[in-house]
Amino acid sequence: MHAFTVRNLLVRGMVAGVLAGLLAFVLAYFAGEPSVRDSIAQEETRSAPAHQHGAAADPVPAGEAGEEEEEELVSRPVQSTFGLATGVLVYGVALGGIASLVFAVSLGRIGRFGPRATSALVAGAAFTTVYLVPFLKYPATPPAVGNPDTIGRRTTLFFLMILLSVLLAVIAVIAGRRLAPRLGNWNASLAAGAGYVAVVAVACLVLPANADAVPASFPAALLWEFRLASLGVQALLWTAFGLIFGELAERMLRPRAVADAAVVPPGAPVGEPRAAGQ
């Protein structure tokens, strides 16, 4: 594939990422933000008695009370609107660009699939390996829940699971292509997929669990609502990207395919020499 074509696919992937990010932002705002607000309220309610008890036991002079409180750098209204939109759009652009490069490498190499089908396969594989599998091991937790001192460890474990999932997926694809001549494409794909699932299951058992568990007093329904919203936002993001980018790639690559087919005149035998004047 020419560098010019790859560059155009990269641009279209980033555009598709922006459009998919806008849709994901709408869902995140209306379906995810309510559970975030309720989670913060739950945490504030739970920590209020301890804070009041500490204040009663060790009163602070009036002049020093303001210094003790942590000033919020970004307000919640800004976080839930501009902050959320910025984060989702940057995430969509970055992953859209990466996915478009994967599409450029995969097109024509994973079967006789057109641009739309290849885009859908890449988006589905990306959603599964980058989010769904790590989510099953380390599910999303509301931002106000948990010990802030363990954020670094939790983030490291989550990204380690992403790296492991993507690496195992690449190995499964390579193994499937190696097995295809002996087992056939369908059986080789099933064998490679089963191997990926088996190794991921072992990795989930070996990797340490999230030590900062959700408190037992936290409402299970609210936690389920937050995690379902997080999963839905990611599913919408990748589904929209696969459909939008597939359409953009199809429109870009279709004229080139037609031009290549027009090089040989209809009805002319393959390899027939053409006169210089034709």
Side-chain angles (χ1 to χ4, degrees), residues 37-139:
R37 289 194 296 267
D38 293 343
S39 299
I40 294 175
Q42 285 283 337
E43 183 66 16
E44 290 176 349
T45 302
R46 192 173 64 88
S47 60
H51 178 73
Q52 293 173 358
H53 177 74
D58 187 15
V60 180
E64 299 178 6
E67 298 175 4
E68 291 292 328
E69 295 180 359
E70 248 183 77
E71 186 176 352
E72 197 174 33
L73 296 178
V74 182
S75 64
R76 272 299 302 158
V78 175
Q79 292 177 12
S80 62
T81 53
F82 295 105
L84 178 62
T86 301
V88 173
L89 290 178
V90 170
Y91 181 81
V93 169
L95 293 187
I98 296 173
S100 66
L101 297 179
V102 176
F103 170 88
V105 175
S106 304
L107 185 62
R109 293 183 173 89
I110 57 175
R112 297 181 178 180
F113 299 108
R116 289 193 183 97
T118 303
S119 175
L121 288 173
V122 169
F127 168 72
T128 301
T129 57
V130 176
Y131 186 79
L132 181 59
V133 170
F135 177 87
L136 295 177
K137 175 61 179 178
Y138 302 111

